[in-house]
Amino acid sequence: MSSDSVRNVIIVGSGPAGLTAAIYTARANLAPLVIEGEPSSTSDQPGGQLMLTTEVENFPGFPEGVMGPDLMMNFRSQAQRFGAEFLTEKVTRVDFDSRPFRVYVRDTEYQAHSIIVSTGARSLMLGLESEQRLIGHGLSTCATCDGFFFRGHEIAVVGGGDSAIEEATFLTKFADKVTIIHRRDELRASKIMQDRAFANPKIEFLWNHTVTELLGDTKVEGIQVTSTIDGTVSTLPVTGVFVAIGHQPNTDLFKGVLDMEDSGYLITQPGSTYTNVDGVFACGDVQDHTYRQAITAAGSGCMAAIDAERWLEANVHS
Ligand code: NAP
């Protein structure tokens, strides 16, 4: 089943990158179609990762802060105002071998001359039911975003890689005490990061433990930890938990189609949003494992829109 004509651009994903690309391409009269994801999914939900946060205080232009979901609704309304069209579905397959490109939602085929991929990344989580309840209420996956809210608190960071150590070190600017909980007795993090953490008087380590429950109904009031050595269960009275056990870019759709790193992040040409397929652009966290901020994602969404607009002008509309 084919859905109407060939579009100028289809944007896959609707976090800050995709919606900024939508605003820019809509204002350039390219009538973008945004396939925004499915509300029921935690990795593909419309609006992206900011839908899982509460207050955002570092997005420029909001001196009083803004709630993550409200910010994303504003992005979306702004794109709609200029004519962006939205489809609340999940892309199930892509075909970038022939032109126009083809994007499928189950049996329905959508065609476009250019594609902007902005499917984002997701933080790996512990897999506890209580995570759904407490995310944004003491449970976080981003120290840069939420550290400020833990001034004077005793908190925990889960993980033993560079992210965990970096986040824990950053969090000591705010928290009185940060306990790094690691499932082994040896860190994966680089030596220099380890040394920094060992020398920090506010950081303590709880080795050979995993977090097996988050306590509290409406906010984190403690955590239950279990020894990986003998199964002993104990409680830590922390009011914040940062999970830093890695990220996973949402790139399953593009395996074998677009060039990606071993870790799954899409590869773009330096200083641009061009992928290895001419006419397909990538922006936001799906191609950025370094900054991972809403504002950097939005900035690269703007870049993708401008790249796509110029590419269409040179290759399709000329
Ligand atoms: P990572 O290196 O994969 O480390 C993940 C950590 O989480 C590991 O210590 C792992 O334990 C632990 N872990 C995984 N699943 C777990 C679970 N279910 N329960 C408890 N613990 C779990 O991820 P990352 O720290 O996010 O780093 C990703 C990449 O980015 C790395 O290449 C890293 O060097 C890089 N990075 C660099 C910097 C920097 O240089 N400034 C900062 C951040 C990230 P095990 O050790 O037992 O596997």
Side-chain angles (χ1 to χ4, degrees):
M1 189 170 35
S2 176
S3 166
D4 54 48
S5 55
V6 181
R7 292 158 194 270
N8 286 309
V9 58
I10 290 178
I11 299 169
V12 186
S14 61
L19 294 181
T20 301
I23 293 167
Y24 272 75
T25 49
R27 289 193 78 251
N29 278 338
L30 294 174
L33 171 68
V34 184
I35 307 185
E36 64 177 344
E38 268 177 352
S40 57
S41 156
T42 50
S43 61
D44 303 292
Q45 74 275 25
Q49 294 177 79
L50 279 189
M51 299 303 283
L52 301 174
T53 62
T54 46
E55 200 165 3
V56 179
E57 289 191 326
N58 57 5
F59 200 88
F62 295 89
E64 307 302 327
V66 57
M67 298 303 276
D70 292 346
L71 180 61
M72 295 326 297
M73 285 316 292
N74 285 347
F75 270 63
R76 195 179 189 277
S77 310
Q78 196 171 347
Q80 271 181 316
R81 183 179 148 213
F82 298 113
E85 198 184 329
F86 284 82
L87 187 64
T88 311
E89 295 277 7
K90 190 175 160 176
V91 172
T92 46
R93 185 162 68 88
V94 296
D95 176 359
F96 297 163
D97 282 341
S98 52
R99 288 165 198 263
F101 299 123
R102 289 174 167 76
V103 170
Y104 296 88
V105 173
R106 294 181 297 277
D107 294 339
T108 309
E109 177 190 276
Y110 297 86
Q111 299 186 3
H113 296 299
S114 71
I115 305 285
I116 295 177
V117 176
S118 49
T119 45
R122 58 187 180 276
S123 298
L124 297 178
M125 300 300 286
L126 301 168
L128 304 172
E129 223 165 79
S130 46
E131 284 177 315
Q132 305 295 330
R133 183 175 79 239
L134 294 169
I135 187 90
H137 301 281
L139 173 67
S140 171
T141 55
C142 177
T144 313
C145 318
D146 298 330
F148 189 80
F149 301 118
F150 294 89
R151 199 173 281 278
H153 288 231
E154 294 196 2
I155 62 179
V157 172
V158 188
D162 279 329
S163 291
I165 303 304
E166 188 172 70
E167 303 241 316
T169 306
F170 176 77
L171 287 165
T172 59
K173 289 179 197 234
F174 310 103
D176 282 352
K177 181 173 148 191
V178 179
T179 304
I180 295 177
I181 303 169
H182 186 35
R183 61 186 178 183
R184 295 186 294 134
D185 65 355
E186 195 185 358
L187 295 173
R188 180 182 293 279
S190 54
K191 179 83 171 60
I192 186 165
M193 306 273 275
Q194 295 196 20
D195 291 347
R196 206 170 293 156
F198 290 141
N200 190 320
K202 283 187 171 180
I203 294 182
E204 284 186 10
F205 286 86
L206 182 61
W207 303 106
N208 300 311
H209 277 78
T210 53
V211 176
T212 41
E213 195 52 274
L214 305 173
L215 309 174
D217 287 333
T218 54
K219 60 182 180 16
V220 172
E221 287 168 354
I223 53 177
Q224 184 193 76
V225 290
T226 302
S227 164
T228 53
I229 307 271
D230 60 13
T232 311
V233 177
S234 47
T235 302
L236 273 191
V238 293
T239 46
V241 185
F242 287 78
V243 177
I245 60 174
H247 288 84
Q248 186 69 44
N250 300 316
T251 51
D252 284 355
L253 268 180
F254 309 106
K255 282 196 176 127
V257 178
L258 295 176
D259 284 352
M260 54 182 78
E261 296 172 8
D262 291 345
S263 52
Y265 284 90
L266 296 186
I267 297 174
T268 48
Q269 290 174 24
S272 81
T273 61
Y274 278 74
T275 66
N276 60 304
V277 176
D278 208 29
V280 178
F281 306 88
C283 54
D285 285 13
V286 74
Q287 51 84 60
D288 168 26
H289 46 70
T290 307
Y291 301 105
R292 295 196 293 241
Q293 299 300 300
I295 188 68
T296 49
S300 75
C302 164
M303 289 166 64
I306 292 173
D307 285 345
E309 185 188 343
R310 291 181 181 160
W311 184 87
L312 286 165
E313 194 58 43
N315 294 279
V316 178
H317 301 313
S318 55

